[in-house]
Amino acid sequence: MPVSSKEDRVITLSSDALSVSVLANRGARLTSLFNRNDQREWLSQPRHRTLERGPEYGSLFTETDHYGWDEMCPTVDACRFPSDPFLGEEVPDHGELWTLAWDVIESSDARIHQRVKSERFGFTFERVLRVEGATLRSEYMCVVASEVAVPLLWALHPQFTMKDGSRLVLPGLRSTVLDTSLSTEVRDVTWFGDAVVERDVAKGDDRMFYLRPEDHVNEAALIDETGSWLQLAWDRTFAPYLGIWMDHAHYTPGRVMAVEPTNGFLDDLSRAHQQGTLVPFQPGERVSWWVELTIGSGEVKWKSS
């Protein structure tokens, strides 16, 4: 049963293989991503099935109930805006979109088009979700109303629930990744060929990794011991960087893996702008990108190979 809120409504998209539930108003959070073939729920669930209300603007994400899939923009970590015309303005933790009210432009049994506007930072953000067979496609569009170019950092934040032995795998070979768990220290750590929450994170803790900027990956897969898998692919021309967050009963009730493609390197809008890893949004330009998620079982085949 999808999570609900007393002040919101749930819209469910479905096919023969997949069921996806979305809180239609506050935050437009995906609350369920359900494989109808093997009854596997892939998104983490909140501690309470019915929420009293959505999070308030400016809330600390770590002090709220962690669950589902939301969008982070224009930052991940709280910071001050790095450029005109919003120079010095405080940007809230986890960005704005997860606490703002979204409009439903259009919806059907397999598609929902939503829009949200940031009054504070002058950008409009749209997302179209479409379910077809075993695939969920998420298409994005963002435009700024400013008269000058504006840096905005977007990152996907899908919190996937992991079972015993579930692992994250990536295409290609690498010997190390970057541990960015402490914002003051970025260090090399060994990559063992996959990531497993119970192996790589102490119980009661969480860790954050980034692939190196030159490590050009545009897909990832989560695989259960049963062979059930979830494969994520994204538009690397817009989002060339990848973060991986793992939680072992620290902020969540169990084990969670978040696969986070992003257009900026590391989690701070100001820092990414200063490093030159963000491509600014030009005035009036409609910037678009996409994410695609597919469920299945058996052997995972990389789409880019």
Side-chain angles (χ1 to χ4, degrees):
M1 178 180 177
V3 64
S4 63
S5 168
K6 291 183 177 179
E7 63 175 23
D8 211 335
R9 64 189 175 112
V10 176
I11 292 178
T12 298
L13 315 178
S14 62
S15 68
D16 290 343
L18 188 61
S19 175
V20 178
S21 295
V22 185
L23 282 179
N25 181 248
R26 185 65 65 89
R29 188 191 303 250
L30 278 69
T31 61
S32 177
L33 203 157
F34 188 70
N35 184 334
R36 301 178 71 177
N37 293 322
D38 63 7
Q39 309 299 295
R40 169 68 151 103
E41 172 59 69
W42 280 99
L43 287 180
S44 62
Q45 298 298 297
R47 290 176 173 85
H48 306 290
R49 301 304 305 177
T50 300
L51 308 176
E52 291 295 325
R53 61 184 62 85
E56 298 295 328
Y57 186 91
S59 298
L60 292 177
F61 189 77
T62 53
E63 295 179 359
T64 65
D65 207 348
H66 282 238
Y67 69 99
W69 160 342
D70 52 71
E71 313 289 342
M72 298 186 287
C73 186
T75 192
V76 177
D77 293 341
C79 64
R80 290 192 178 276
F81 209 91
S83 67
D84 290 330
F86 311 111
L87 182 65
E89 286 279 337
E90 292 185 2
V91 190
D93 181 51
H94 212 71
E96 293 188 296
L97 302 187
W98 69 292
T99 60
L100 294 179
W102 293 51
D103 294 323
V104 176
I105 308 303
E106 180 186 3
S107 69
S108 65
D109 290 344
R111 183 179 184 273
I112 181 171
H113 177 188
Q114 293 181 269
R115 178 185 298 140
V116 61
K117 184 174 182 180
S118 168
E119 299 290 347
R120 189 171 185 180
F121 298 112
F123 68 91
T124 299
F125 187 98
E126 297 187 33
R127 185 185 68 192
V128 176
L129 298 173
R130 185 172 70 252
V131 171
E132 184 173 349
T135 296
L136 168 67
R137 185 174 174 88
S138 185
E139 297 176 344
Y140 300 91
M141 188 281 296
C142 184
V143 61
V144 299
S146 170
E147 295 182 355
V148 298
V150 174
L152 300 174
L153 188 153
W154 166 84
L156 192 68
H157 192 242
Q159 298 175 88
F160 297 117
T161 183
M162 306 295 279
K163 298 183 176 183
D164 290 341
S166 298
R167 58 197 180 97
L168 167 73
V169 297
L170 302 169
L173 300 175
R174 61 197 51 81
S175 57
T176 62
V177 294
L178 301 174
D179 189 325
T180 64
S181 302
L182 298 176
S183 59
T184 56
E185 178 186 8
V186 176
R187 58 192 182 91
D188 283 327
V189 294
T190 301
W191 177 256
F192 294 104
D194 58 14
V196 179
V197 174
E198 62 267 32
R199 182 194 68 199
D200 301 331
V201 184
K203 190 170 184 179
D205 205 353
D206 69 296
R207 294 180 75 182
M208 184 73 195
F209 298 99
Y210 262 85
L211 270 60
R212 296 178 177 281
E214 64 273 17
D215 194 347
H216 295 160
V217 169
N218 67 333
E219 53 187 330
L222 305 177
I223 306 173
D224 289 343
E225 285 190 329
T226 62
S228 183
W229 50 258
L230 178 152
Q231 188 171 6
L232 197 70
W234 58 90
D235 183 355
R236 190 166 61 84
T237 59
F238 174 80
Y241 311 109
L242 179 64
I244 301 165
W245 179 66
M246 294 187 284
D247 184 271
H248 194 174
H250 184 192
Y251 295 111
T252 65
R255 295 187 293 266
V256 162
M257 182 87 69
V259 184
E260 303 180 3
T262 176
N263 68 321
F265 186 60
L266 302 184
D267 290 341
D268 182 315
L269 166 66
S270 179
R271 185 177 181 181
H273 176 68
Q274 291 168 3
Q275 293 176 156
T277 63
L278 279 174
V279 177
F281 287 64
Q282 298 299 320
E285 180 183 0
R286 294 172 62 90
V287 179
S288 60
W289 67 98
W290 57 268
V291 171
E292 199 166 80
L293 181 152
T294 303
I295 56 171
S297 61
E299 181 184 359
V300 173
K301 295 183 179 179
W302 300 117
K303 297 179 180 179
S304 59
S305 60

